[in-house]
Amino acid sequence: MKAAVFKKKGFMAVEEVPTPVPREDEALVKIKYCGICGTDLHNYSFGITAPGRVLGHEWCGMITELGKGVQNFSKGDRVMLYKHKRRSSPRLRLNPRAGYSSPSRRMGAYAEYLAVPTSRIIRIPDEVSDKQAATLEPLVAAIHAIRLGKIKISDTVAFIGAGPIALLMIQRVRQAGARAVYVSEPVKIRAAKAAELGANQVFNPFKEDVIAEIVKLTGGKGPDIVYECAATKNTLNQACQLVARNGRVTCLAVYQEPITLTPLDWYTMQPEIKFTTNGDSTPFDWEIGLEVMINDQIDVETTISTIISLHEIQETFQTLLDPSKNTMLRVLVEP
């Protein structure tokens, strides 16, 4: 089979690799879509993952083969990733004590096939499309971050960065009763989509004083909640300078390089600061995410701009990492 194999920092190559054989209690899944995640971009650009590995974990597909002992799934089942160890049912059920771990021991989903333990997959409901299924994990991350922010009706909310997860969050915070939503985003396509999905005003941080503008719009107070989704050198400081006194800052961004912080500026505002990543989500978040998707409460497909083949993955990663060239939102790989 073909797979995009990580070779070195900043480079992947599509190669022929052995098709995995499902072990006991595993299923072999033919991958339909795998989303390009910010974690993959970090691993790729900083060389964090080991050479020879295959990235990709936001996937969906169809079971083509079953390992010994599998009883709850059948060939032809449409399935998607579930990051928490499920107990017995092939449907998603709440397990508050479940812990996160990687769904596949051997390979990611930038490949034609993936062998995965059946405890880490769930069937895709008939109401959910393949494109939606490949977006469930970022939707779950968005829901978890919103819960951490403890949004209340009439809160004002600001986003620093409007990547795919932030675009999902903008829709949900509006539904949760946010009084106003402000966004800082330099990439044109992301800024335009943020406005389309409900942001009251979107600012280009390269051209405008975002802190001054948003503070003015909130009557000198600052937003009640700031979501830091950019992970650039100064954005965490900006979030803490922007937020209202005793407000909440939730950081979804993943920093791979050292950043300079100036906590003295924070003492005045005394924000509550929380950090979260995709791996922090709970089984409850997954249940809510699937429910939201089934009921069309958030339009996840509107955040998908591009579908590429495996052979386009190297060029696409390079483009996504260059804000001056990027004209894409969420990208799905179709092996």
mmCIF file with all atom_site columns, all heavy atoms in Angstrom, residues 1-3 17-20 27-31 54 62-65 104 107-116 310 335:
data_model
loop_
_atom_site.group_PDB
_atom_site.id
_atom_site.type_symbol
_atom_site.label_atom_id
_atom_site.label_alt_id
_atom_site.label_comp_id
_atom_site.label_asym_id
_atom_site.label_entity_id
_atom_site.label_seq_id
_atom_site.pdbx_PDB_ins_code
_atom_site.Cartn_x
_atom_site.Cartn_y
_atom_site.Cartn_z
_atom_site.occupancy
_atom_site.B_iso_or_equiv
_atom_site.pdbx_formal_charge
_atom_site.auth_seq_id
_atom_site.auth_comp_id
_atom_site.auth_asym_id
_atom_site.auth_atom_id
_atom_site.pdbx_PDB_model_num
ATOM 1   N N   . MET A 1 1   ? 0.848   -1.192  0.000  1.00 0.00 ? 1   MET A N   1
ATOM 2   C CA  . MET A 1 1   ? 0.000   0.000   0.000  1.00 0.00 ? 1   MET A CA  1
ATOM 3   C C   . MET A 1 1   ? 0.885   1.244   0.000  1.00 0.00 ? 1   MET A C   1
ATOM 4   O O   . MET A 1 1   ? 2.074   1.183   0.300  1.00 0.00 ? 1   MET A O   1
ATOM 5   C CB  . MET A 1 1   ? -0.898  0.016   1.238  1.00 0.00 ? 1   MET A CB  1
ATOM 6   C CG  . MET A 1 1   ? -0.161  0.276   2.536  1.00 0.00 ? 1   MET A CG  1
ATOM 7   S SD  . MET A 1 1   ? -1.279  0.562   3.928  1.00 0.00 ? 1   MET A SD  1
ATOM 8   C CE  . MET A 1 1   ? -0.098  1.043   5.196  1.00 0.00 ? 1   MET A CE  1
ATOM 9   N N   . LYS A 1 2   ? 0.275   2.381   -0.316 1.00 0.00 ? 2   LYS A N   1
ATOM 10  C CA  . LYS A 1 2   ? 1.001   3.650   -0.297 1.00 0.00 ? 2   LYS A CA  1
ATOM 11  C C   . LYS A 1 2   ? 0.774   4.362   1.032  1.00 0.00 ? 2   LYS A C   1
ATOM 12  O O   . LYS A 1 2   ? -0.314  4.321   1.603  1.00 0.00 ? 2   LYS A O   1
ATOM 13  C CB  . LYS A 1 2   ? 0.546   4.540   -1.455 1.00 0.00 ? 2   LYS A CB  1
ATOM 14  C CG  . LYS A 1 2   ? 0.988   4.046   -2.828 1.00 0.00 ? 2   LYS A CG  1
ATOM 15  C CD  . LYS A 1 2   ? 0.543   4.997   -3.911 1.00 0.00 ? 2   LYS A CD  1
ATOM 16  C CE  . LYS A 1 2   ? 1.164   4.618   -5.258 1.00 0.00 ? 2   LYS A CE  1
ATOM 17  N NZ  . LYS A 1 2   ? 0.794   3.257   -5.678 1.00 0.00 ? 2   LYS A NZ  1
ATOM 18  N N   . ALA A 1 3   ? 1.824   5.029   1.505  1.00 0.00 ? 3   ALA A N   1
ATOM 19  C CA  . ALA A 1 3   ? 1.744   5.804   2.737  1.00 0.00 ? 3   ALA A CA  1
ATOM 20  C C   . ALA A 1 3   ? 2.704   6.980   2.636  1.00 0.00 ? 3   ALA A C   1
ATOM 21  O O   . ALA A 1 3   ? 3.737   6.897   1.962  1.00 0.00 ? 3   ALA A O   1
ATOM 22  C CB  . ALA A 1 3   ? 2.093   4.946   3.950  1.00 0.00 ? 3   ALA A CB  1
ATOM 23  N N   . VAL A 1 17  ? 4.643   0.596   1.282  1.00 0.00 ? 17  VAL A N   1
ATOM 24  C CA  . VAL A 1 17  ? 4.957   -0.067  2.550  1.00 0.00 ? 17  VAL A CA  1
ATOM 25  C C   . VAL A 1 17  ? 4.037   -1.275  2.685  1.00 0.00 ? 17  VAL A C   1
ATOM 26  O O   . VAL A 1 17  ? 2.990   -1.347  2.034  1.00 0.00 ? 17  VAL A O   1
ATOM 27  C CB  . VAL A 1 17  ? 4.773   0.891   3.747  1.00 0.00 ? 17  VAL A CB  1
ATOM 28  C CG1 . VAL A 1 17  ? 5.674   2.112   3.619  1.00 0.00 ? 17  VAL A CG1 1
ATOM 29  C CG2 . VAL A 1 17  ? 3.319   1.317   3.883  1.00 0.00 ? 17  VAL A CG2 1
ATOM 30  N N   . PRO A 1 18  ? 4.391   -2.234  3.522  1.00 0.00 ? 18  PRO A N   1
ATOM 31  C CA  . PRO A 1 18  ? 3.530   -3.411  3.684  1.00 0.00 ? 18  PRO A CA  1
ATOM 32  C C   . PRO A 1 18  ? 2.159   -3.030  4.244  1.00 0.00 ? 18  PRO A C   1
ATOM 33  O O   . PRO A 1 18  ? 2.057   -2.211  5.162  1.00 0.00 ? 18  PRO A O   1
ATOM 34  C CB  . PRO A 1 18  ? 4.307   -4.283  4.675  1.00 0.00 ? 18  PRO A CB  1
ATOM 35  C CG  . PRO A 1 18  ? 5.726   -3.827  4.561  1.00 0.00 ? 18  PRO A CG  1
ATOM 36  C CD  . PRO A 1 18  ? 5.654   -2.361  4.277  1.00 0.00 ? 18  PRO A CD  1
ATOM 37  N N   . THR A 1 19  ? 1.126   -3.609  3.695  1.00 0.00 ? 19  THR A N   1
ATOM 38  C CA  . THR A 1 19  ? -0.216  -3.421  4.253  1.00 0.00 ? 19  THR A CA  1
ATOM 39  C C   . THR A 1 19  ? -0.274  -4.119  5.603  1.00 0.00 ? 19  THR A C   1
ATOM 40  O O   . THR A 1 19  ? 0.091   -5.295  5.715  1.00 0.00 ? 19  THR A O   1
ATOM 41  C CB  . THR A 1 19  ? -1.280  -4.012  3.319  1.00 0.00 ? 19  THR A CB  1
ATOM 42  O OG1 . THR A 1 19  ? -1.194  -3.366  2.047  1.00 0.00 ? 19  THR A OG1 1
ATOM 43  C CG2 . THR A 1 19  ? -2.678  -3.808  3.893  1.00 0.00 ? 19  THR A CG2 1
ATOM 44  N N   . PRO A 1 20  ? -0.686  -3.423  6.664  1.00 0.00 ? 20  PRO A N   1
ATOM 45  C CA  . PRO A 1 20  ? -0.697  -4.060  7.987  1.00 0.00 ? 20  PRO A CA  1
ATOM 46  C C   . PRO A 1 20  ? -1.690  -5.214  8.051  1.00 0.00 ? 20  PRO A C   1
ATOM 47  O O   . PRO A 1 20  ? -2.723  -5.212  7.374  1.00 0.00 ? 20  PRO A O   1
ATOM 48  C CB  . PRO A 1 20  ? -1.105  -2.917  8.928  1.00 0.00 ? 20  PRO A CB  1
ATOM 49  C CG  . PRO A 1 20  ? -1.786  -1.920  8.060  1.00 0.00 ? 20  PRO A CG  1
ATOM 50  C CD  . PRO A 1 20  ? -1.150  -2.021  6.713  1.00 0.00 ? 20  PRO A CD  1
ATOM 51  N N   . ALA A 1 27  ? -8.968  -4.302  13.738 1.00 0.00 ? 27  ALA A N   1
ATOM 52  C CA  . ALA A 1 27  ? -9.626  -4.245  12.435 1.00 0.00 ? 27  ALA A CA  1
ATOM 53  C C   . ALA A 1 27  ? -8.690  -3.563  11.448 1.00 0.00 ? 27  ALA A C   1
ATOM 54  O O   . ALA A 1 27  ? -7.945  -2.647  11.814 1.00 0.00 ? 27  ALA A O   1
ATOM 55  C CB  . ALA A 1 27  ? -10.938 -3.478  12.529 1.00 0.00 ? 27  ALA A CB  1
ATOM 56  N N   . LEU A 1 28  ? -8.734  -4.013  10.206 1.00 0.00 ? 28  LEU A N   1
ATOM 57  C CA  . LEU A 1 28  ? -8.019  -3.328  9.138  1.00 0.00 ? 28  LEU A CA  1
ATOM 58  C C   . LEU A 1 28  ? -9.008  -2.383  8.471  1.00 0.00 ? 28  LEU A C   1
ATOM 59  O O   . LEU A 1 28  ? -10.065 -2.801  7.996  1.00 0.00 ? 28  LEU A O   1
ATOM 60  C CB  . LEU A 1 28  ? -7.464  -4.321  8.121  1.00 0.00 ? 28  LEU A CB  1
ATOM 61  C CG  . LEU A 1 28  ? -6.639  -3.698  6.981  1.00 0.00 ? 28  LEU A CG  1
ATOM 62  C CD1 . LEU A 1 28  ? -5.358  -3.077  7.528  1.00 0.00 ? 28  LEU A CD1 1
ATOM 63  C CD2 . LEU A 1 28  ? -6.322  -4.738  5.910  1.00 0.00 ? 28  LEU A CD2 1
ATOM 64  N N   . VAL A 1 29  ? -8.657  -1.100  8.451  1.00 0.00 ? 29  VAL A N   1
ATOM 65  C CA  . VAL A 1 29  ? -9.556  -0.069  7.935  1.00 0.00 ? 29  VAL A CA  1
ATOM 66  C C   . VAL A 1 29  ? -8.962  0.538   6.674  1.00 0.00 ? 29  VAL A C   1
ATOM 67  O O   . VAL A 1 29  ? -7.788  0.938   6.662  1.00 0.00 ? 29  VAL A O   1
ATOM 68  C CB  . VAL A 1 29  ? -9.780  1.039   8.990  1.00 0.00 ? 29  VAL A CB  1
ATOM 69  C CG1 . VAL A 1 29  ? -10.676 2.140   8.426  1.00 0.00 ? 29  VAL A CG1 1
ATOM 70  C CG2 . VAL A 1 29  ? -10.386 0.451   10.259 1.00 0.00 ? 29  VAL A CG2 1
ATOM 71  N N   . LYS A 1 30  ? -9.758  0.589   5.617  1.00 0.00 ? 30  LYS A N   1
ATOM 72  C CA  . LYS A 1 30  ? -9.364  1.336   4.423  1.00 0.00 ? 30  LYS A CA  1
ATOM 73  C C   . LYS A 1 30  ? -9.713  2.796   4.673  1.00 0.00 ? 30  LYS A C   1
ATOM 74  O O   . LYS A 1 30  ? -10.880 3.145   4.867  1.00 0.00 ? 30  LYS A O   1
ATOM 75  C CB  . LYS A 1 30  ? -10.084 0.818   3.178  1.00 0.00 ? 30  LYS A CB  1
ATOM 76  C CG  . LYS A 1 30  ? -9.684  1.568   1.910  1.00 0.00 ? 30  LYS A CG  1
ATOM 77  C CD  . LYS A 1 30  ? -10.255 0.926   0.668  1.00 0.00 ? 30  LYS A CD  1
ATOM 78  C CE  . LYS A 1 30  ? -9.919  1.747   -0.585 1.00 0.00 ? 30  LYS A CE  1
ATOM 79  N NZ  . LYS A 1 30  ? -8.470  1.996   -0.740 1.00 0.00 ? 30  LYS A NZ  1
ATOM 80  N N   . ILE A 1 31  ? -8.709  3.648   4.696  1.00 0.00 ? 31  ILE A N   1
ATOM 81  C CA  . ILE A 1 31  ? -8.909  5.043   5.066  1.00 0.00 ? 31  ILE A CA  1
ATOM 82  C C   . ILE A 1 31  ? -9.627  5.798   3.945  1.00 0.00 ? 31  ILE A C   1
ATOM 83  O O   . ILE A 1 31  ? -9.218  5.750   2.779  1.00 0.00 ? 31  ILE A O   1
ATOM 84  C CB  . ILE A 1 31  ? -7.559  5.725   5.372  1.00 0.00 ? 31  ILE A CB  1
ATOM 85  C CG1 . ILE A 1 31  ? -6.858  5.019   6.538  1.00 0.00 ? 31  ILE A CG1 1
ATOM 86  C CG2 . ILE A 1 31  ? -7.771  7.204   5.691  1.00 0.00 ? 31  ILE A CG2 1
ATOM 87  C CD1 . ILE A 1 31  ? -7.635  5.018   7.834  1.00 0.00 ? 31  ILE A CD1 1
ATOM 88  N N   . VAL A 1 54  ? 4.455   7.082   10.192 1.00 0.00 ? 54  VAL A N   1
ATOM 89  C CA  . VAL A 1 54  ? 3.393   7.674   9.385  1.00 0.00 ? 54  VAL A CA  1
ATOM 90  C C   . VAL A 1 54  ? 2.493   8.467   10.318 1.00 0.00 ? 54  VAL A C   1
ATOM 91  O O   . VAL A 1 54  ? 2.012   7.935   11.324 1.00 0.00 ? 54  VAL A O   1
ATOM 92  C CB  . VAL A 1 54  ? 2.580   6.596   8.639  1.00 0.00 ? 54  VAL A CB  1
ATOM 93  C CG1 . VAL A 1 54  ? 1.417   7.230   7.881  1.00 0.00 ? 54  VAL A CG1 1
ATOM 94  C CG2 . VAL A 1 54  ? 3.484   5.829   7.678  1.00 0.00 ? 54  VAL A CG2 1
ATOM 95  N N   . MET A 1 62  ? -13.470 2.411   6.220  1.00 0.00 ? 62  MET A N   1
ATOM 96  C CA  . MET A 1 62  ? -14.331 1.228   6.186  1.00 0.00 ? 62  MET A CA  1
ATOM 97  C C   . MET A 1 62  ? -13.517 -0.012  6.527  1.00 0.00 ? 62  MET A C   1
ATOM 98  O O   . MET A 1 62  ? -12.399 -0.192  6.035  1.00 0.00 ? 62  MET A O   1
ATOM 99  C CB  . MET A 1 62  ? -14.967 1.072   4.800  1.00 0.00 ? 62  MET A CB  1
ATOM 100 C CG  . MET A 1 62  ? -15.893 -0.133  4.669  1.00 0.00 ? 62  MET A CG  1
ATOM 101 S SD  . MET A 1 62  ? -16.660 -0.235  3.040  1.00 0.00 ? 62  MET A SD  1
ATOM 102 C CE  . MET A 1 62  ? -17.759 1.186   3.111  1.00 0.00 ? 62  MET A CE  1
ATOM 103 N N   . ILE A 1 63  ? -14.082 -0.872  7.359  1.00 0.00 ? 63  ILE A N   1
ATOM 104 C CA  . ILE A 1 63  ? -13.406 -2.110  7.745  1.00 0.00 ? 63  ILE A CA  1
ATOM 105 C C   . ILE A 1 63  ? -13.374 -3.071  6.557  1.00 0.00 ? 63  ILE A C   1
ATOM 106 O O   . ILE A 1 63  ? -14.404 -3.344  5.931  1.00 0.00 ? 63  ILE A O   1
ATOM 107 C CB  . ILE A 1 63  ? -14.115 -2.773  8.939  1.00 0.00 ? 63  ILE A CB  1
ATOM 108 C CG1 . ILE A 1 63  ? -13.959 -1.904  10.199 1.00 0.00 ? 63  ILE A CG1 1
ATOM 109 C CG2 . ILE A 1 63  ? -13.549 -4.170  9.198  1.00 0.00 ? 63  ILE A CG2 1
ATOM 110 C CD1 . ILE A 1 63  ? -14.705 -2.444  11.405 1.00 0.00 ? 63  ILE A CD1 1
ATOM 111 N N   . THR A 1 64  ? -12.179 -3.571  6.256  1.00 0.00 ? 64  THR A N   1
ATOM 112 C CA  . THR A 1 64  ? -12.026 -4.541  5.171  1.00 0.00 ? 64  THR A CA  1
ATOM 113 C C   . THR A 1 64  ? -11.610 -5.920  5.669  1.00 0.00 ? 64  THR A C   1
ATOM 114 O O   . THR A 1 64  ? -11.731 -6.905  4.939  1.00 0.00 ? 64  THR A O   1
ATOM 115 C CB  . THR A 1 64  ? -10.977 -4.058  4.150  1.00 0.00 ? 64  THR A CB  1
ATOM 116 O OG1 . THR A 1 64  ? -9.713  -3.899  4.813  1.00 0.00 ? 64  THR A OG1 1
ATOM 117 C CG2 . THR A 1 64  ? -11.401 -2.740  3.525  1.00 0.00 ? 64  THR A CG2 1
ATOM 118 N N   . GLU A 1 65  ? -11.101 -5.986  6.900  1.00 0.00 ? 65  GLU A N   1
ATOM 119 C CA  . GLU A 1 65  ? -10.646 -7.271  7.440  1.00 0.00 ? 65  GLU A CA  1
ATOM 120 C C   . GLU A 1 65  ? -10.676 -7.199  8.959  1.00 0.00 ? 65  GLU A C   1
ATOM 121 O O   . GLU A 1 65  ? -10.451 -6.133  9.543  1.00 0.00 ? 65  GLU A O   1
ATOM 122 C CB  . GLU A 1 65  ? -9.223  -7.568  6.952  1.00 0.00 ? 65  GLU A CB  1
ATOM 123 C CG  . GLU A 1 65  ? -8.726  -8.967  7.270  1.00 0.00 ? 65  GLU A CG  1
ATOM 124 C CD  . GLU A 1 65  ? -7.339  -9.231  6.698  1.00 0.00 ? 65  GLU A CD  1
ATOM 125 O OE1 . GLU A 1 65  ? -6.919  -8.489  5.784  1.00 0.00 ? 65  GLU A OE1 1
ATOM 126 O OE2 . GLU A 1 65  ? -6.684  -10.173 7.179  1.00 0.00 ? 65  GLU A OE2 1
ATOM 127 N N   . SER A 1 104 ? -3.490  3.595   17.459 1.00 0.00 ? 104 SER A N   1
ATOM 128 C CA  . SER A 1 104 ? -2.781  2.588   16.677 1.00 0.00 ? 104 SER A CA  1
ATOM 129 C C   . SER A 1 104 ? -1.337  2.521   17.142 1.00 0.00 ? 104 SER A C   1
ATOM 130 O O   . SER A 1 104 ? -0.682  3.534   17.315 1.00 0.00 ? 104 SER A O   1
ATOM 131 C CB  . SER A 1 104 ? -2.823  2.928   15.186 1.00 0.00 ? 104 SER A CB  1
ATOM 132 O OG  . SER A 1 104 ? -2.050  2.007   14.455 1.00 0.00 ? 104 SER A OG  1
ATOM 133 N N   . MET A 1 107 ? 1.098   2.727   13.102 1.00 0.00 ? 107 MET A N   1
ATOM 134 C CA  . MET A 1 107 ? 1.078   3.586   11.930 1.00 0.00 ? 107 MET A CA  1
ATOM 135 C C   . MET A 1 107 ? -0.065  4.573   12.023 1.00 0.00 ? 107 MET A C   1
ATOM 136 O O   . MET A 1 107 ? -1.097  4.302   12.634 1.00 0.00 ? 107 MET A O   1
ATOM 137 C CB  . MET A 1 107 ? 0.922   2.716   10.674 1.00 0.00 ? 107 MET A CB  1
ATOM 138 C CG  . MET A 1 107 ? 1.007   3.469   9.366  1.00 0.00 ? 107 MET A CG  1
ATOM 139 S SD  . MET A 1 107 ? 0.973   2.351   7.951  1.00 0.00 ? 107 MET A SD  1
ATOM 140 C CE  . MET A 1 107 ? 2.553   1.530   8.141  1.00 0.00 ? 107 MET A CE  1
ATOM 141 N N   . GLY A 1 108 ? 0.125   5.751   11.401 1.00 0.00 ? 108 GLY A N   1
ATOM 142 C CA  . GLY A 1 108 ? -0.940  6.722   11.309 1.00 0.00 ? 108 GLY A CA  1
ATOM 143 C C   . GLY A 1 108 ? -1.742  6.538   10.036 1.00 0.00 ? 108 GLY A C   1
ATOM 144 O O   . GLY A 1 108 ? -1.545  5.580   9.274  1.00 0.00 ? 108 GLY A O   1
ATOM 145 N N   . ALA A 1 109 ? -2.639  7.492   9.772  1.00 0.00 ? 109 ALA A N   1
ATOM 146 C CA  . ALA A 1 109 ? -3.640  7.309   8.724  1.00 0.00 ? 109 ALA A CA  1
ATOM 147 C C   . ALA A 1 109 ? -3.362  8.099   7.451  1.00 0.00 ? 109 ALA A C   1
ATOM 148 O O   . ALA A 1 109 ? -4.242  8.204   6.601  1.00 0.00 ? 109 ALA A O   1
ATOM 149 C CB  . ALA A 1 109 ? -5.020  7.667   9.267  1.00 0.00 ? 109 ALA A CB  1
ATOM 150 N N   . TYR A 1 110 ? -2.148  8.648   7.290  1.00 0.00 ? 110 TYR A N   1
ATOM 151 C CA  . TYR A 1 110 ? -1.777  9.155   5.970  1.00 0.00 ? 110 TYR A CA  1
ATOM 152 C C   . TYR A 1 110 ? -1.312  7.959   5.147  1.00 0.00 ? 110 TYR A C   1
ATOM 153 O O   . TYR A 1 110 ? -0.158  7.849   4.726  1.00 0.00 ? 110 TYR A O   1
ATOM 154 C CB  . TYR A 1 110 ? -0.673  10.205  6.069  1.00 0.00 ? 110 TYR A CB  1
ATOM 155 C CG  . TYR A 1 110 ? -1.079  11.473  6.792  1.00 0.00 ? 110 TYR A CG  1
ATOM 156 C CD1 . TYR A 1 110 ? -0.157  12.177  7.563  1.00 0.00 ? 110 TYR A CD1 1
ATOM 157 C CD2 . TYR A 1 110 ? -2.370  11.978  6.699  1.00 0.00 ? 110 TYR A CD2 1
ATOM 158 C CE1 . TYR A 1 110 ? -0.514  13.343  8.223  1.00 0.00 ? 110 TYR A CE1 1
ATOM 159 C CE2 . TYR A 1 110 ? -2.739  13.137  7.360  1.00 0.00 ? 110 TYR A CE2 1
ATOM 160 C CZ  . TYR A 1 110 ? -1.813  13.815  8.124  1.00 0.00 ? 110 TYR A CZ  1
ATOM 161 O OH  . TYR A 1 110 ? -2.173  14.964  8.777  1.00 0.00 ? 110 TYR A OH  1
ATOM 162 N N   . ALA A 1 111 ? -2.230  7.047   4.964  1.00 0.00 ? 111 ALA A N   1
ATOM 163 C CA  . ALA A 1 111 ? -1.931  5.770   4.319  1.00 0.00 ? 111 ALA A CA  1
ATOM 164 C C   . ALA A 1 111 ? -3.236  5.186   3.797  1.00 0.00 ? 111 ALA A C   1
ATOM 165 O O   . ALA A 1 111 ? -4.325  5.612   4.186  1.00 0.00 ? 111 ALA A O   1
ATOM 166 C CB  . ALA A 1 111 ? -1.278  4.805   5.314  1.00 0.00 ? 111 ALA A CB  1
ATOM 167 N N   . GLU A 1 112 ? -3.113  4.203   2.938  1.00 0.00 ? 112 GLU A N   1
ATOM 168 C CA  . GLU A 1 112 ? -4.319  3.602   2.366  1.00 0.00 ? 112 GLU A CA  1
ATOM 169 C C   . GLU A 1 112 ? -5.055  2.719   3.367  1.00 0.00 ? 112 GLU A C   1
ATOM 170 O O   . GLU A 1 112 ? -6.282  2.599   3.317  1.00 0.00 ? 112 GLU A O   1
ATOM 171 C CB  . GLU A 1 112 ? -3.949  2.797   1.120  1.00 0.00 ? 112 GLU A CB  1
ATOM 172 C CG  . GLU A 1 112 ? -3.465  3.681   -0.028 1.00 0.00 ? 112 GLU A CG  1
ATOM 173 C CD  . GLU A 1 112 ? -3.097  2.884   -1.259 1.00 0.00 ? 112 GLU A CD  1
ATOM 174 O OE1 . GLU A 1 112 ? -2.237  1.980   -1.154 1.00 0.00 ? 112 GLU A OE1 1
ATOM 175 O OE2 . GLU A 1 112 ? -3.675  3.163   -2.330 1.00 0.00 ? 112 GLU A OE2 1
ATOM 176 N N   . TYR A 1 113 ? -4.297  2.107   4.296  1.00 0.00 ? 113 TYR A N   1
ATOM 177 C CA  . TYR A 1 113 ? -4.912  1.218   5.282  1.00 0.00 ? 113 TYR A CA  1
ATOM 178 C C   . TYR A 1 113 ? -4.304  1.478   6.657  1.00 0.00 ? 113 TYR A C   1
ATOM 179 O O   . TYR A 1 113 ? -3.155  1.923   6.783  1.00 0.00 ? 113 TYR A O   1
ATOM 180 C CB  . TYR A 1 113 ? -4.694  -0.251  4.912  1.00 0.00 ? 113 TYR A CB  1
ATOM 181 C CG  . TYR A 1 113 ? -5.446  -0.694  3.680  1.00 0.00 ? 113 TYR A CG  1
ATOM 182 C CD1 . TYR A 1 113 ? -4.862  -0.594  2.423  1.00 0.00 ? 113 TYR A CD1 1
ATOM 183 C CD2 . TYR A 1 113 ? -6.735  -1.214  3.773  1.00 0.00 ? 113 TYR A CD2 1
ATOM 184 C CE1 . TYR A 1 113 ? -5.547  -0.990  1.281  1.00 0.00 ? 113 TYR A CE1 1
ATOM 185 C CE2 . TYR A 1 113 ? -7.427  -1.615  2.640  1.00 0.00 ? 113 TYR A CE2 1
ATOM 186 C CZ  . TYR A 1 113 ? -6.834  -1.500  1.400  1.00 0.00 ? 113 TYR A CZ  1
ATOM 187 O OH  . TYR A 1 113 ? -7.514  -1.891  0.284  1.00 0.00 ? 113 TYR A OH  1
ATOM 188 N N   . LEU A 1 114 ? -5.091  1.147   7.687  1.00 0.00 ? 114 LEU A N   1
ATOM 189 C CA  . LEU A 1 114 ? -4.639  1.288   9.064  1.00 0.00 ? 114 LEU A CA  1
ATOM 190 C C   . LEU A 1 114 ? -5.199  0.127   9.879  1.00 0.00 ? 114 LEU A C   1
ATOM 191 O O   . LEU A 1 114 ? -6.399  -0.156  9.823  1.00 0.00 ? 114 LEU A O   1
ATOM 192 C CB  . LEU A 1 114 ? -5.136  2.612   9.650  1.00 0.00 ? 114 LEU A CB  1
ATOM 193 C CG  . LEU A 1 114 ? -4.799  2.892   11.121 1.00 0.00 ? 114 LEU A CG  1
ATOM 194 C CD1 . LEU A 1 114 ? -3.302  3.135   11.281 1.00 0.00 ? 114 LEU A CD1 1
ATOM 195 C CD2 . LEU A 1 114 ? -5.589  4.088   11.630 1.00 0.00 ? 114 LEU A CD2 1
ATOM 196 N N   . ALA A 1 115 ? -4.334  -0.564  10.619 1.00 0.00 ? 115 ALA A N   1
ATOM 197 C CA  . ALA A 1 115 ? -4.783  -1.591  11.557 1.00 0.00 ? 115 ALA A CA  1
ATOM 198 C C   . ALA A 1 115 ? -4.928  -0.942  12.925 1.00 0.00 ? 115 ALA A C   1
ATOM 199 O O   . ALA A 1 115 ? -4.005  -0.291  13.421 1.00 0.00 ? 115 ALA A O   1
ATOM 200 C CB  . ALA A 1 115 ? -3.784  -2.743  11.615 1.00 0.00 ? 115 ALA A CB  1
ATOM 201 N N   . VAL A 1 116 ? -6.090  -1.106  13.551 1.00 0.00 ? 116 VAL A N   1
ATOM 202 C CA  . VAL A 1 116 ? -6.383  -0.379  14.782 1.00 0.00 ? 116 VAL A CA  1
ATOM 203 C C   . VAL A 1 116 ? -7.171  -1.270  15.733 1.00 0.00 ? 116 VAL A C   1
ATOM 204 O O   . VAL A 1 116 ? -8.015  -2.060  15.304 1.00 0.00 ? 116 VAL A O   1
ATOM 205 C CB  . VAL A 1 116 ? -7.172  0.917   14.448 1.00 0.00 ? 116 VAL A CB  1
ATOM 206 C CG1 . VAL A 1 116 ? -8.478  0.604   13.761 1.00 0.00 ? 116 VAL A CG1 1
ATOM 207 C CG2 . VAL A 1 116 ? -7.396  1.766   15.678 1.00 0.00 ? 116 VAL A CG2 1
ATOM 208 N N   . LEU A 1 310 ? -2.521  11.650  -1.387 1.00 0.00 ? 310 LEU A N   1
ATOM 209 C CA  . LEU A 1 310 ? -1.267  11.437  -0.661 1.00 0.00 ? 310 LEU A CA  1
ATOM 210 C C   . LEU A 1 310 ? -0.099  12.127  -1.359 1.00 0.00 ? 310 LEU A C   1
ATOM 211 O O   . LEU A 1 310 ? 0.804   12.666  -0.710 1.00 0.00 ? 310 LEU A O   1
ATOM 212 C CB  . LEU A 1 310 ? -0.967  9.941   -0.539 1.00 0.00 ? 310 LEU A CB  1
ATOM 213 C CG  . LEU A 1 310 ? -1.637  9.161   0.589  1.00 0.00 ? 310 LEU A CG  1
ATOM 214 C CD1 . LEU A 1 310 ? -1.238  7.699   0.506  1.00 0.00 ? 310 LEU A CD1 1
ATOM 215 C CD2 . LEU A 1 310 ? -1.279  9.733   1.952  1.00 0.00 ? 310 LEU A CD2 1
ATOM 216 N N   . PRO A 1 335 ? -6.437  9.132   0.764  1.00 0.00 ? 335 PRO A N   1
ATOM 217 C CA  . PRO A 1 335 ? -5.364  8.257   0.246  1.00 0.00 ? 335 PRO A CA  1
ATOM 218 C C   . PRO A 1 335 ? -5.774  7.509   -1.029 1.00 0.00 ? 335 PRO A C   1
ATOM 219 O O   . PRO A 1 335 ? -6.935  7.180   -1.209 1.00 0.00 ? 335 PRO A O   1
ATOM 220 C CB  . PRO A 1 335 ? -5.132  7.281   1.403  1.00 0.00 ? 335 PRO A CB  1
ATOM 221 C CG  . PRO A 1 335 ? -5.649  7.981   2.618  1.00 0.00 ? 335 PRO A CG  1
ATOM 222 C CD  . PRO A 1 335 ? -6.815  8.791   2.137  1.00 0.00 ? 335 PRO A CD  1
#
